[in-house]
Amino acid sequence: MAFRSSDSGYADTCLDHARRLFEFARNYRGKYSDSISNAGQFYNSWSGYGDELTWAAIWLYRATEEASYLDAAKGFYNEFSMSGTPSQFSWDDKKAGVQDSVTDSVET
């Protein structure tokens, strides 16, 4: 998606890195603020990691149109209880974006 029209080689590199980061996050779950305790003083993850994992799967689906990413997003949506009324959309809480994006991705 990003850079695709201006530099397809760089876009491919970005997509490759996104895929690998997603697999890493999927396999080694946890909040970064639990691993880097000093980060918690400034950017503690209050919402956990489920919303970011779901958000990543949605964007990878949009970038690749590979059904496996949409399936992952739907699974994470349920696993991490992404339904309900979100209070915000922020660097820490992606629930509102996840809800809108899953609905949009399922309908298209």
Side-chain angles (χ1 to χ4, degrees), residues 1-4 7-22 60 63-64:
M1 295 175 83
F3 306 106
R4 182 63 55 205
D7 189 342
S8 63
Y10 184 62
D12 290 341
T13 298
C14 290
L15 184 57
D16 178 58
H17 287 283
R19 288 176 190 265
R20 291 196 276 161
L21 284 168
F22 176 75
L60 280 165
T64 66

PDB file of all heavy atoms in Angstrom, residues 1-4 7-22 60 63-64:
ATOM      1  N   MET A   1       0.834  -1.177   0.000  1.00  0.00           N
ATOM      2  CA  MET A   1       0.000   0.000   0.000  1.00  0.00           C
ATOM      3  C   MET A   1       0.884   1.246   0.000  1.00  0.00           C
ATOM      4  O   MET A   1       0.845   2.008  -0.937  1.00  0.00           O
ATOM      5  CB  MET A   1      -0.916   0.009   1.217  1.00  0.00           C
ATOM      6  CG  MET A   1      -1.935  -1.112   1.231  1.00  0.00           C
ATOM      7  SD  MET A   1      -2.919  -1.173   2.726  1.00  0.00           S
ATOM      8  CE  MET A   1      -4.159   0.024   2.357  1.00  0.00           C
ATOM      9  N   ALA A   2       1.627   1.405   1.085  1.00  0.00           N
ATOM     10  CA  ALA A   2       2.509   2.563   1.178  1.00  0.00           C
ATOM     11  C   ALA A   2       3.641   2.410   0.173  1.00  0.00           C
ATOM     12  O   ALA A   2       4.235   1.334   0.056  1.00  0.00           O
ATOM     13  CB  ALA A   2       3.067   2.702   2.588  1.00  0.00           C
ATOM     14  N   PHE A   3       3.917   3.471  -0.561  1.00  0.00           N
ATOM     15  CA  PHE A   3       5.010   3.546  -1.533  1.00  0.00           C
ATOM     16  C   PHE A   3       4.798   2.683  -2.773  1.00  0.00           C
ATOM     17  O   PHE A   3       5.652   2.652  -3.643  1.00  0.00           O
ATOM     18  CB  PHE A   3       6.356   3.189  -0.886  1.00  0.00           C
ATOM     19  CG  PHE A   3       6.674   3.988   0.336  1.00  0.00           C
ATOM     20  CD1 PHE A   3       6.585   3.414   1.594  1.00  0.00           C
ATOM     21  CD2 PHE A   3       7.051   5.307   0.228  1.00  0.00           C
ATOM     22  CE1 PHE A   3       6.872   4.149   2.731  1.00  0.00           C
ATOM     23  CE2 PHE A   3       7.339   6.064   1.356  1.00  0.00           C
ATOM     24  CZ  PHE A   3       7.254   5.488   2.613  1.00  0.00           C
ATOM     25  N   ARG A   4       3.690   1.962  -2.876  1.00  0.00           N
ATOM     26  CA  ARG A   4       3.490   1.027  -3.987  1.00  0.00           C
ATOM     27  C   ARG A   4       3.577   1.744  -5.336  1.00  0.00           C
ATOM     28  O   ARG A   4       4.206   1.240  -6.264  1.00  0.00           O
ATOM     29  CB  ARG A   4       2.130   0.326  -3.832  1.00  0.00           C
ATOM     30  CG  ARG A   4       1.799  -0.689  -4.876  1.00  0.00           C
ATOM     31  CD  ARG A   4       2.695  -1.904  -4.983  1.00  0.00           C
ATOM     32  NE  ARG A   4       2.832  -2.637  -3.745  1.00  0.00           N
ATOM     33  CZ  ARG A   4       3.878  -3.404  -3.437  1.00  0.00           C
ATOM     34  NH1 ARG A   4       4.876  -3.545  -4.283  1.00  0.00           N
ATOM     35  NH2 ARG A   4       3.951  -4.036  -2.303  1.00  0.00           N
ATOM     36  N   ASP A   7       7.548   3.500  -5.431  1.00  0.00           N
ATOM     37  CA  ASP A   7       8.760   2.689  -5.260  1.00  0.00           C
ATOM     38  C   ASP A   7       8.346   1.280  -4.851  1.00  0.00           C
ATOM     39  O   ASP A   7       8.338   0.934  -3.664  1.00  0.00           O
ATOM     40  CB  ASP A   7       9.667   3.332  -4.206  1.00  0.00           C
ATOM     41  CG  ASP A   7      11.044   2.688  -4.110  1.00  0.00           C
ATOM     42  OD1 ASP A   7      11.214   1.542  -4.590  1.00  0.00           O
ATOM     43  OD2 ASP A   7      11.950   3.330  -3.544  1.00  0.00           O
ATOM     44  N   SER A   8       8.020   0.470  -5.828  1.00  0.00           N
ATOM     45  CA  SER A   8       7.481  -0.860  -5.537  1.00  0.00           C
ATOM     46  C   SER A   8       8.487  -1.756  -4.822  1.00  0.00           C
ATOM     47  O   SER A   8       8.092  -2.601  -4.010  1.00  0.00           O
ATOM     48  CB  SER A   8       6.975  -1.535  -6.810  1.00  0.00           C
ATOM     49  OG  SER A   8       8.042  -1.744  -7.717  1.00  0.00           O
ATOM     50  N   GLY A   9       9.766  -1.575  -5.076  1.00  0.00           N
ATOM     51  CA  GLY A   9      10.782  -2.364  -4.376  1.00  0.00           C
ATOM     52  C   GLY A   9      10.782  -2.070  -2.892  1.00  0.00           C
ATOM     53  O   GLY A   9      10.849  -2.994  -2.061  1.00  0.00           O
ATOM     54  N   TYR A  10      10.707  -0.791  -2.554  1.00  0.00           N
ATOM     55  CA  TYR A  10      10.666  -0.411  -1.149  1.00  0.00           C
ATOM     56  C   TYR A  10       9.353  -0.867  -0.512  1.00  0.00           C
ATOM     57  O   TYR A  10       9.327  -1.324   0.636  1.00  0.00           O
ATOM     58  CB  TYR A  10      10.851   1.099  -0.994  1.00  0.00           C
ATOM     59  CG  TYR A  10      10.910   1.554   0.433  1.00  0.00           C
ATOM     60  CD1 TYR A  10      11.912   1.107   1.286  1.00  0.00           C
ATOM     61  CD2 TYR A  10       9.950   2.419   0.941  1.00  0.00           C
ATOM     62  CE1 TYR A  10      11.966   1.511   2.607  1.00  0.00           C
ATOM     63  CE2 TYR A  10       9.991   2.828   2.258  1.00  0.00           C
ATOM     64  CZ  TYR A  10      11.004   2.370   3.093  1.00  0.00           C
ATOM     65  OH  TYR A  10      11.047   2.780   4.406  1.00  0.00           O
ATOM     66  N   ALA A  11       8.264  -0.782  -1.266  1.00  0.00           N
ATOM     67  CA  ALA A  11       6.966  -1.261  -0.766  1.00  0.00           C
ATOM     68  C   ALA A  11       7.032  -2.746  -0.446  1.00  0.00           C
ATOM     69  O   ALA A  11       6.508  -3.193   0.585  1.00  0.00           O
ATOM     70  CB  ALA A  11       5.869  -0.975  -1.788  1.00  0.00           C
ATOM     71  N   ASP A  12       7.695  -3.517  -1.307  1.00  0.00           N
ATOM     72  CA  ASP A  12       7.859  -4.950  -1.053  1.00  0.00           C
ATOM     73  C   ASP A  12       8.670  -5.201   0.216  1.00  0.00           C
ATOM     74  O   ASP A  12       8.349  -6.096   1.002  1.00  0.00           O
ATOM     75  CB  ASP A  12       8.542  -5.638  -2.236  1.00  0.00           C
ATOM     76  CG  ASP A  12       7.665  -5.724  -3.462  1.00  0.00           C
ATOM     77  OD1 ASP A  12       6.424  -5.585  -3.338  1.00  0.00           O
ATOM     78  OD2 ASP A  12       8.232  -5.910  -4.561  1.00  0.00           O
ATOM     79  N   THR A  13       9.717  -4.395   0.411  1.00  0.00           N
ATOM     80  CA  THR A  13      10.540  -4.521   1.620  1.00  0.00           C
ATOM     81  C   THR A  13       9.711  -4.216   2.865  1.00  0.00           C
ATOM     82  O   THR A  13       9.776  -4.943   3.854  1.00  0.00           O
ATOM     83  CB  THR A  13      11.759  -3.575   1.544  1.00  0.00           C
ATOM     84  OG1 THR A  13      12.565  -3.960   0.429  1.00  0.00           O
ATOM     85  CG2 THR A  13      12.582  -3.625   2.812  1.00  0.00           C
ATOM     86  N   CYS A  14       8.933  -3.157   2.810  1.00  0.00           N
ATOM     87  CA  CYS A  14       8.083  -2.793   3.954  1.00  0.00           C
ATOM     88  C   CYS A  14       7.082  -3.903   4.258  1.00  0.00           C
ATOM     89  O   CYS A  14       6.872  -4.250   5.431  1.00  0.00           O
ATOM     90  CB  CYS A  14       7.346  -1.486   3.676  1.00  0.00           C
ATOM     91  SG  CYS A  14       8.385  -0.022   3.659  1.00  0.00           S
ATOM     92  N   LEU A  15       6.469  -4.448   3.229  1.00  0.00           N
ATOM     93  CA  LEU A  15       5.489  -5.518   3.416  1.00  0.00           C
ATOM     94  C   LEU A  15       6.152  -6.762   3.997  1.00  0.00           C
ATOM     95  O   LEU A  15       5.595  -7.405   4.894  1.00  0.00           O
ATOM     96  CB  LEU A  15       4.781  -5.841   2.098  1.00  0.00           C
ATOM     97  CG  LEU A  15       3.676  -6.878   2.169  1.00  0.00           C
ATOM     98  CD1 LEU A  15       2.598  -6.486   3.172  1.00  0.00           C
ATOM     99  CD2 LEU A  15       3.076  -7.077   0.784  1.00  0.00           C
ATOM    100  N   ASP A  16       7.337  -7.093   3.519  1.00  0.00           N
ATOM    101  CA  ASP A  16       8.066  -8.243   4.052  1.00  0.00           C
ATOM    102  C   ASP A  16       8.350  -8.047   5.546  1.00  0.00           C
ATOM    103  O   ASP A  16       8.136  -8.959   6.351  1.00  0.00           O
ATOM    104  CB  ASP A  16       9.377  -8.446   3.285  1.00  0.00           C
ATOM    105  CG  ASP A  16      10.176  -9.603   3.853  1.00  0.00           C
ATOM    106  OD1 ASP A  16       9.649 -10.734   3.896  1.00  0.00           O
ATOM    107  OD2 ASP A  16      11.342  -9.373   4.257  1.00  0.00           O
ATOM    108  N   HIS A  17       8.796  -6.859   5.920  1.00  0.00           N
ATOM    109  CA  HIS A  17       9.062  -6.585   7.335  1.00  0.00           C
ATOM    110  C   HIS A  17       7.782  -6.629   8.161  1.00  0.00           C
ATOM    111  O   HIS A  17       7.783  -7.144   9.285  1.00  0.00           O
ATOM    112  CB  HIS A  17       9.761  -5.236   7.503  1.00  0.00           C
ATOM    113  CG  HIS A  17      11.180  -5.245   7.064  1.00  0.00           C
ATOM    114  ND1 HIS A  17      12.192  -5.805   7.823  1.00  0.00           N
ATOM    115  CD2 HIS A  17      11.765  -4.786   5.942  1.00  0.00           C
ATOM    116  CE1 HIS A  17      13.330  -5.681   7.190  1.00  0.00           C
ATOM    117  NE2 HIS A  17      13.105  -5.059   6.024  1.00  0.00           N
ATOM    118  N   ALA A  18       6.686  -6.106   7.602  1.00  0.00           N
ATOM    119  CA  ALA A  18       5.405  -6.137   8.318  1.00  0.00           C
ATOM    120  C   ALA A  18       4.954  -7.569   8.564  1.00  0.00           C
ATOM    121  O   ALA A  18       4.476  -7.904   9.654  1.00  0.00           O
ATOM    122  CB  ALA A  18       4.347  -5.371   7.530  1.00  0.00           C
ATOM    123  N   ARG A  19       5.105  -8.409   7.562  1.00  0.00           N
ATOM    124  CA  ARG A  19       4.739  -9.818   7.721  1.00  0.00           C
ATOM    125  C   ARG A  19       5.563 -10.478   8.835  1.00  0.00           C
ATOM    126  O   ARG A  19       5.035 -11.219   9.662  1.00  0.00           O
ATOM    127  CB  ARG A  19       4.969 -10.585   6.426  1.00  0.00           C
ATOM    128  CG  ARG A  19       4.010 -10.297   5.310  1.00  0.00           C
ATOM    129  CD  ARG A  19       4.463 -11.084   4.068  1.00  0.00           C
ATOM    130  NE  ARG A  19       3.784 -10.757   2.861  1.00  0.00           N
ATOM    131  CZ  ARG A  19       2.724 -11.407   2.389  1.00  0.00           C
ATOM    132  NH1 ARG A  19       2.215 -12.417   3.048  1.00  0.00           N
ATOM    133  NH2 ARG A  19       2.172 -11.043   1.256  1.00  0.00           N
ATOM    134  N   ARG A  20       6.861 -10.229   8.807  1.00  0.00           N
ATOM    135  CA  ARG A  20       7.736 -10.854   9.802  1.00  0.00           C
ATOM    136  C   ARG A  20       7.474 -10.320  11.207  1.00  0.00           C
ATOM    137  O   ARG A  20       7.476 -11.089  12.179  1.00  0.00           O
ATOM    138  CB  ARG A  20       9.202 -10.680   9.407  1.00  0.00           C
ATOM    139  CG  ARG A  20       9.514 -11.523   8.169  1.00  0.00           C
ATOM    140  CD  ARG A  20      10.977 -11.703   7.944  1.00  0.00           C
ATOM    141  NE  ARG A  20      11.526 -10.561   7.227  1.00  0.00           N
ATOM    142  CZ  ARG A  20      12.813 -10.256   7.206  1.00  0.00           C
ATOM    143  NH1 ARG A  20      13.682 -10.993   7.858  1.00  0.00           N
ATOM    144  NH2 ARG A  20      13.235  -9.224   6.512  1.00  0.00           N
ATOM    145  N   LEU A  21       7.222  -9.028  11.323  1.00  0.00           N
ATOM    146  CA  LEU A  21       6.889  -8.467  12.641  1.00  0.00           C
ATOM    147  C   LEU A  21       5.576  -9.040  13.160  1.00  0.00           C
ATOM    148  O   LEU A  21       5.434  -9.318  14.359  1.00  0.00           O
ATOM    149  CB  LEU A  21       6.815  -6.947  12.569  1.00  0.00           C
ATOM    150  CG  LEU A  21       8.147  -6.231  12.517  1.00  0.00           C
ATOM    151  CD1 LEU A  21       7.945  -4.759  12.149  1.00  0.00           C
ATOM    152  CD2 LEU A  21       8.875  -6.352  13.854  1.00  0.00           C
ATOM    153  N   PHE A  22       4.614  -9.210  12.263  1.00  0.00           N
ATOM    154  CA  PHE A  22       3.330  -9.792  12.654  1.00  0.00           C
ATOM    155  C   PHE A  22       3.528 -11.209  13.180  1.00  0.00           C
ATOM    156  O   PHE A  22       2.980 -11.566  14.233  1.00  0.00           O
ATOM    157  CB  PHE A  22       2.357  -9.782  11.476  1.00  0.00           C
ATOM    158  CG  PHE A  22       1.055 -10.460  11.783  1.00  0.00           C
ATOM    159  CD1 PHE A  22       0.112  -9.846  12.585  1.00  0.00           C
ATOM    160  CD2 PHE A  22       0.768 -11.715  11.266  1.00  0.00           C
ATOM    161  CE1 PHE A  22      -1.094 -10.467  12.874  1.00  0.00           C
ATOM    162  CE2 PHE A  22      -0.429 -12.350  11.544  1.00  0.00           C
ATOM    163  CZ  PHE A  22      -1.354 -11.715  12.351  1.00  0.00           C
ATOM    164  N   LEU A  60      -2.587  -6.020   7.236  1.00  0.00           N
ATOM    165  CA  LEU A  60      -1.920  -6.974   6.344  1.00  0.00           C
ATOM    166  C   LEU A  60      -2.917  -7.576   5.358  1.00  0.00           C
ATOM    167  O   LEU A  60      -2.583  -7.809   4.188  1.00  0.00           O
ATOM    168  CB  LEU A  60      -1.201  -8.056   7.148  1.00  0.00           C
ATOM    169  CG  LEU A  60       0.147  -7.598   7.700  1.00  0.00           C
ATOM    170  CD1 LEU A  60       0.642  -8.562   8.770  1.00  0.00           C
ATOM    171  CD2 LEU A  60       1.161  -7.459   6.575  1.00  0.00           C
ATOM    172  N   ALA A  63      -3.405  -4.979   2.698  1.00  0.00           N
ATOM    173  CA  ALA A  63      -2.229  -4.840   1.845  1.00  0.00           C
ATOM    174  C   ALA A  63      -2.039  -6.022   0.906  1.00  0.00           C
ATOM    175  O   ALA A  63      -1.532  -5.861  -0.207  1.00  0.00           O
ATOM    176  CB  ALA A  63      -0.979  -4.652   2.700  1.00  0.00           C
ATOM    177  N   THR A  64      -2.446  -7.217   1.346  1.00  0.00           N
ATOM    178  CA  THR A  64      -2.158  -8.429   0.572  1.00  0.00           C
ATOM    179  C   THR A  64      -3.390  -9.091  -0.025  1.00  0.00           C
ATOM    180  O   THR A  64      -3.269  -9.880  -0.959  1.00  0.00           O
ATOM    181  CB  THR A  64      -1.467  -9.479   1.459  1.00  0.00           C
ATOM    182  OG1 THR A  64      -2.389  -9.913   2.473  1.00  0.00           O
ATOM    183  CG2 THR A  64      -0.195  -8.937   2.085  1.00  0.00           C
TER     184      THR A  64
END
